[in-house]
Amino acid sequence: MMAAISASARGAETTLLEQNEKTGKKLFITGKGRCNLTNGCNKEEFFHNLVSNEKFLYSAFSRMDNQGVKEFFEKAGCALKKERGERIFPLSDHSSDVIAALNGQMARNQVKVSLNSSVSQILMEKGGSAKGQPHVCGVKLKNGNVIKADAVIVATGGKSYEATGSTGDGYAFAAEAGHSIRELKPSLVPLAVDEGWCSKLQGLSLKNVSVAVVNGKKKIYQGFGEMLFTHFGVSGPLVLSASSYYAKKCYGMRAGLFIDLKPALSAEQLDRRLLRDFEENKNRQFKNALDGLLPTKMIPVMVNLSGILPEKKINEVTREERARLAGLLKKLPLTVTGTRGFQEAIITQGGVHVKEVNPSTMESRLVKGLYFAGEVLDLDALTGGFNLQIAWSTGYLAGCSASGEE
């Protein structure tokens, strides 16, 4: 929609082909229906949150940055607010207001919106340009109709949440045009683990913990925040971010995931804390003396993992056993066996190889008049509004370029 708005604003006769019965179905469910539409951080912090091919985005971001996105939506009638982590949401907490702002702007720009219109093929003619490149001449719909066009912008999204229309068609269109497609992986997605004890903690949320993911001896991710245990492994904001780096660095492989349950305490400080707690509970059984350290649901699991007899009196716990418990609190180990599937992934990692797309225009380097924007490209970021900003920035630039603007 941003691409259509951008192109039409520059005088191009623009048609949006939407295969769904309405626009913005994936936007509607984004951010649990609230739509975290961008992040208000500074430029350096923004690019720090990008996972793949951040340099490719420089030009697009300079044309439509996060401040520009905020101004666009507010001018289009969608009031905004800022929340923790610089996340930007509609003031109403309703993603429908974001969609309404986009639809309203398209209407004002006289964009023709064609619903229930599925494209089967991008039509190309052999080139007459100096480079001999083929060029776009239109699209063919699945109903057999042909629409002529001087330029086509592929902004079909990825493969996640297929029910919203993200069926991966854009990758097929790009491949038919000669583009390379980087391996498609679910990202910002829960992780599956080997350890069966996770299922006993299903539904338990941990706040203010630290998580590290390790591939062999190499640490590929470390972050702080909130996570959730599930019947298959782990999820929650912290784990979703970790999954992006797992997918990037060791997808399909086993990896170590370590939870620091007490990140605010050094090993020495934690030992002093344990000594103090043990002194206060010296006559209690070990299994009944961890209330101040752990959530109730987690105590039986940690007692079992520690190897300390549950009925053992606290004043009988040895230094070695106390050190073992401290080690678990600082570095609780899990074994990642893989990610959950595309149906649970917020975004798709991988896509159209960015080396085959001009970052200054979003135009294909292989086919004149063919442009790409958003998740169909091999661009992705962490949670917090960064992925939608990628979509707005690349869509805006593709629209500008496709309109013939120099």
Side-chain angles (χ1 to χ4, degrees):
M1 287 191 276
M2 180 64 82
I5 290 166
S6 175
S8 58
R10 285 154 182 80
E13 185 179 338
T14 307
T15 300
L16 176 70
L17 298 174
E18 170 59 67
Q19 70 172 341
N20 291 315
E21 74 285 357
K22 59 183 177 181
T23 59
K25 285 187 76 172
K26 191 168 183 180
L27 274 177
F28 186 73
I29 64 170
T30 300
K32 298 180 180 178
R34 296 175 63 221
C35 194
N36 176 194
L37 56 89
T38 189
N39 193 285
C41 66
N42 62 40
K43 182 178 179 179
E44 182 180 358
E45 182 67 18
F46 178 86
F47 280 93
H48 180 70
N49 280 275
L50 268 60
V51 176
S52 304
N53 300 311
E54 65 274 11
K55 290 181 179 178
F56 177 84
L57 194 66
Y58 287 170
S59 292
F61 189 79
S62 68
R63 292 293 298 274
M64 174 61 88
D65 63 8
N66 46 0
Q67 186 59 40
V69 165
K70 290 192 290 182
E71 291 172 359
F72 168 84
F73 279 102
E74 287 176 334
K75 187 176 179 181
C78 180
L80 305 176
K81 63 178 178 178
K82 182 167 66 175
E83 295 189 1
R84 178 178 54 85
E86 300 288 316
R87 289 168 165 82
I88 307 298
F89 290 89
L91 183 62
S92 65
D93 280 332
H94 294 143
S95 56
S96 55
D97 285 354
V98 174
I99 299 167
L102 291 163
N103 283 333
Q105 193 60 52
M106 286 196 297
R108 286 187 287 274
N109 288 12
Q110 297 184 320
V111 174
K112 180 182 177 183
V113 178
S114 181
L115 301 174
N116 299 305
S117 296
S118 295
V119 175
S120 63
Q121 186 181 3
I122 295 174
L123 303 176
M124 293 168 282
E125 294 178 342
K126 291 187 177 178
S129 66
K131 294 182 179 179
Q133 291 177 314
H135 63 88
V136 164
C137 60
V139 295
K140 184 177 181 180
L141 303 182
K142 288 183 179 178
N143 64 11
N145 292 341
V146 170
I147 300 174
K148 294 182 178 180
D150 298 316
V152 170
I153 302 172
V154 178
T156 51
K159 287 192 68 176
S160 59
Y161 294 117
E162 188 173 323
T164 65
S166 297
T167 54
D169 289 351
Y171 304 122
F173 298 148
E176 287 172 9
H179 280 275
S180 309
I181 308 300
R182 305 291 281 184
E183 184 182 4
L184 306 176
K185 310 167 191 173
S187 190
L188 298 183
V189 64
L191 295 173
V193 304
D194 222 3
E195 287 74 12
W197 56 260
C198 264
S199 62
K200 297 178 181 179
L201 301 181
Q202 181 178 352
L204 175 64
S205 177
L206 299 178
K207 295 182 179 180
N208 302 319
V209 297
S210 178
V211 161
V213 178
V214 178
N215 182 21
K217 294 182 179 180
K218 187 175 181 181
K219 185 183 292 184
I220 60 173
Y221 173 81
Q222 182 157 2
F224 174 85
E226 184 177 344
M227 62 166 289
L228 174 73
F229 288 102
T230 69
H231 67 284
F232 56 79
V234 286
S235 186
L238 188 54
V239 171
L240 297 186
S241 291
S243 75
S244 289
Y245 289 94
Y246 169 80
K248 186 78 174 171
K249 302 290 186 180
C250 49
Y251 183 67
M253 300 166 58
R254 295 169 75 86
L257 185 150
F258 298 95
I259 307 169
D260 185 346
L261 297 165
K262 303 294 176 184
L265 301 178
S266 67
E268 294 76 16
Q269 289 171 325
L270 178 58
D271 189 52
R272 289 198 293 271
R273 163 75 186 275
L274 287 175
L275 283 170
R276 185 173 68 248
D277 284 10
F278 280 15
E279 178 61 29
E280 292 173 358
N281 296 279
K282 59 185 177 183
N283 293 317
R284 300 180 72 183
Q285 292 181 330
F286 177 60
K287 66 180 181 180
N288 297 323
L290 302 178
D291 310 56
L293 279 170
L294 294 164
T296 302
K297 195 171 186 177
M298 200 169 191
I299 291 174
V301 168
M302 291 294 282
V303 167
N304 184 57
L305 292 174
S306 74
I308 303 171
L309 293 173
E311 291 77 22
K312 193 170 192 175
K313 291 288 185 68
I314 284 294
N315 60 12
E316 296 174 353
V317 173
T318 66
R319 179 184 297 177
E320 290 74 17
E321 288 173 329
R322 190 178 76 243
R324 198 156 64 235
L325 175 62
L328 285 172
L329 291 169
K330 291 296 290 180
K331 199 174 182 180
L332 180 61
L334 289 167
T335 308
V336 177
T337 57
T339 69
R340 300 290 279 181
F342 283 106
Q343 287 302 105
E344 295 180 45
I346 294 175
I347 61 164
T348 304
Q349 192 174 96
V352 177
H353 200 322
V354 295
K355 288 186 177 178
E356 299 168 355
V357 178
N358 185 339
S360 299
T361 61
M362 295 296 128
E363 186 176 23
S364 165
R365 295 187 189 273
L366 309 181
V367 179
K368 188 172 177 56
L370 177 61
Y371 298 81
F372 297 98
E375 197 177 340
V376 72
L377 289 161
D378 184 18
L379 294 171
D380 66 283
L382 302 182
T383 57
F386 302 102
N387 286 288
L388 271 180
Q389 180 64 50
I390 290 173
W392 309 133
S393 294
T394 55
Y396 180 85
L397 179 55
C400 291
S401 306
S403 71
E405 178 187 84
E406 294 296 330

